[in-house]
Amino acid sequence: MIRNTPVTLKFLAEKLKMSVSTVSKALNDYPTINEYTKKRVQEMAKDLHFTPNKSAINLKERKSRIIGIILPNLLDHFFTRSIYGVEQFATANGYNVIIRQTHDELEKEIQAANMLLKSRVDGLIIAISKNTQDFTHLDQFENIGTPVVYYARNPSFNLNCHKVLGNTFQGSYEATKFLIKRNHQKIAYLGGPKMINFTHDRFNGYINALKDYQIPFAADLVAYTDFDKESTITAIQKLFSNSENMPTALVAFKEPILFDAIKYLRSVSHPNFSELECIGFGNNAFITYLDAPPIASVEENPEAVGENAIKLLLQLIDQEVELLNYQKIMVDCKLVIH
């Protein structure tokens, strides 16, 4: 006769004429249970298609075994790759993952945080929106003992926090140095939103490289975009409008805006376009298929950023790292020549 309800631990114990405790220990391979009993229990469990009630186990452990993740956009190449590292490691350690996207809107970030708080996640990993300056909606996690790890975007308004970041200062410095060593003196910088703190490290890497190689900084070789195509084109028009100080090379905040810039300059048949050498953050896989790829890319190692974030979060959950012993982990970038 086929049972229409799941086989419970209690039902299994009754069939075997054993206590629930003995059956549970046999299934979990306790050393105090003899091999004969273990074999009987495990064979019966297999025959009856018994599966452990994870909800009951989690309730007993006072854990949901769920990790919450909040990020701006899964269409962003960096976040897609970083989530792969997070999910692989979380699954291997018995955790499920809930992912929420904010589309870089603070209000959606607050809604996502409140939903995950109600879901009683064991921990939270977050890449903040470009407008996040007040962290009240995230502080409520730590207020109840739930750890939070900030990753990818530096929450510089929140000094007391755990964070795992790509070393974008180093990546931008290496990109600018590479162009300088290719005899470029007029290197433009196309940055992310100017007032957003997590964009500053890349700009600082750029100007520090110029300084170290005694190349004067020129404000008209710097422009910013809000990441949309229209503001990118406006920024490019600004950078390439001065015929007396025309850039011969360009460092871009990320490759999608670099590609928008390249497409625009090609469409207007810019006179210096064929000589322009460009580097962007990302190292998108499809670059190898381009007839005229950028001279190089900054590989941010997003999988390593994600994996370090989940490792730190699980250490906090397991109390291997104190909640108030704030950690900062940096993952180096790598310049990839095409």
Side-chain angles (χ1 to χ4, degrees):
M1 181 178 177
I2 298 172
R3 283 177 58 88
N4 293 321
T5 57
V7 175
T8 63
L9 202 62
K10 184 179 178 183
F11 178 82
L12 201 57
E14 287 173 353
K15 291 283 286 183
L16 289 160
K17 295 182 170 54
M18 296 180 188
S19 70
V20 171
S21 174
T22 299
V23 171
S24 177
K25 288 177 179 178
L27 288 170
N28 287 288
D29 205 25
Y30 269 60
T32 53
I33 305 298
N34 66 59
E35 291 303 317
Y36 173 74
T37 302
K38 285 181 189 177
K39 187 178 179 182
R40 275 192 67 209
V41 171
Q42 290 165 6
E43 285 179 353
M44 178 71 77
K46 184 179 178 181
D47 290 345
L48 295 177
H49 306 291
F50 169 78
T51 54
N53 185 337
K54 292 295 290 181
S55 297
I57 294 168
N58 294 343
L59 188 63
K60 186 176 179 181
E61 292 180 350
R62 297 189 177 180
K63 285 183 178 181
S64 65
R65 310 296 296 186
I66 298 171
I67 300 297
I69 301 174
I70 300 175
L71 46 75
N73 194 338
L74 271 171
L75 293 177
D76 187 304
H77 184 62
F78 177 92
F79 291 114
T80 305
R81 288 176 59 191
S82 72
I83 287 303
Y84 179 83
V86 172
E87 199 165 30
Q88 291 286 101
F89 197 83
T91 302
N93 284 274
Y95 283 86
N96 293 311
V97 171
I98 299 177
I99 302 170
R100 292 294 302 266
Q101 299 180 79
T102 66
H103 303 287
D104 252 333
E105 295 177 25
L106 176 59
E107 188 55 41
K108 287 184 178 178
E109 180 178 290
I110 293 170
Q111 291 171 3
N114 289 337
M115 185 279 286
L116 292 171
L117 191 74
K118 290 173 183 174
S119 298
R120 294 291 188 265
V121 293
D122 292 335
L124 175 68
I125 295 173
I126 179 167
I128 56 174
S129 82
K130 64 184 180 182
N131 299 313
T132 304
Q133 296 183 20
D134 182 348
F135 292 82
T136 305
H137 59 294
L138 301 171
D139 290 340
Q140 59 184 341
F141 286 87
E142 288 199 348
N143 291 341
I144 62 169
T146 302
V148 177
V149 172
Y150 295 85
Y151 92 122
R153 293 181 169 184
N154 191 0
S156 49
F157 285 103
N158 188 359
L159 299 176
N160 297 322
C161 65
H162 299 279
K163 52 190 174 183
V164 177
L165 308 170
N167 192 348
T168 53
F169 174 96
Q170 168 251 342
S172 190
Y173 184 98
E174 293 295 327
T176 308
K177 182 177 81 171
F178 175 78
L179 293 169
I180 292 169
K181 291 197 170 185
R182 289 180 65 82
N183 299 316
H184 291 284
Q185 297 288 307
K186 295 179 179 180
I187 303 169
Y189 175 77
L190 178 58
K194 188 175 182 179
M195 301 308 293
I196 308 304
N197 279 274
F198 62 74
T199 69
H200 294 175
D201 288 341
R202 299 175 204 224
F203 176 68
N204 289 334
Y206 161 76
I207 60 172
N208 272 269
L210 295 180
K211 181 181 176 183
D212 288 350
Y213 286 88
Q214 290 83 51
I215 294 177
F217 170 74
D220 59 346
L221 290 180
V222 175
Y224 298 91
T225 172
D226 245 349
F227 299 143
D228 60 277
K229 191 174 292 186
E230 291 75 18
S231 65
T232 299
I233 290 171
T234 301
I236 285 295
Q237 289 171 336
K238 172 186 179 297
L239 288 175
F240 289 84
S241 62
N242 185 354
S243 58
E244 294 180 4
N245 198 26
M246 191 67 64
T248 62
L250 174 67
V251 176
F253 185 90
K254 59 181 182 176
E255 282 176 340
I257 62 174
L258 174 60
F259 298 143
D260 283 340
I262 290 171
K263 183 179 179 182
Y264 171 76
L265 291 171
R266 184 185 286 121
S267 72
V268 297
S269 302
H270 193 278
N272 296 335
F273 174 72
S274 59
E275 286 82 38
L276 185 70
E277 293 192 331
C278 304
I279 300 177
F281 279 75
N283 193 30
N284 278 269
F286 65 77
I287 282 180
T288 57
Y289 298 98
L290 299 179
D291 292 333
I295 189 71
S297 296
V298 179
E299 170 60 69
E300 298 176 80
N301 297 311
E303 292 90 350
V305 175
E307 189 170 315
N308 274 278
I310 185 66
K311 282 181 179 177
L312 176 56
L313 188 68
L314 294 187
Q315 287 176 323
L316 289 162
I317 291 170
D318 294 336
Q319 299 181 344
E320 294 171 13
V321 174
E322 290 289 329
L323 195 60
L324 300 181
N325 180 19
Y326 296 116
Q327 305 289 307
K328 179 181 179 181
I329 298 171
M330 302 295 290
V331 176
D332 280 344
C333 297
K334 179 185 177 183
L335 193 67
V336 178
I337 316 300
H338 297 304

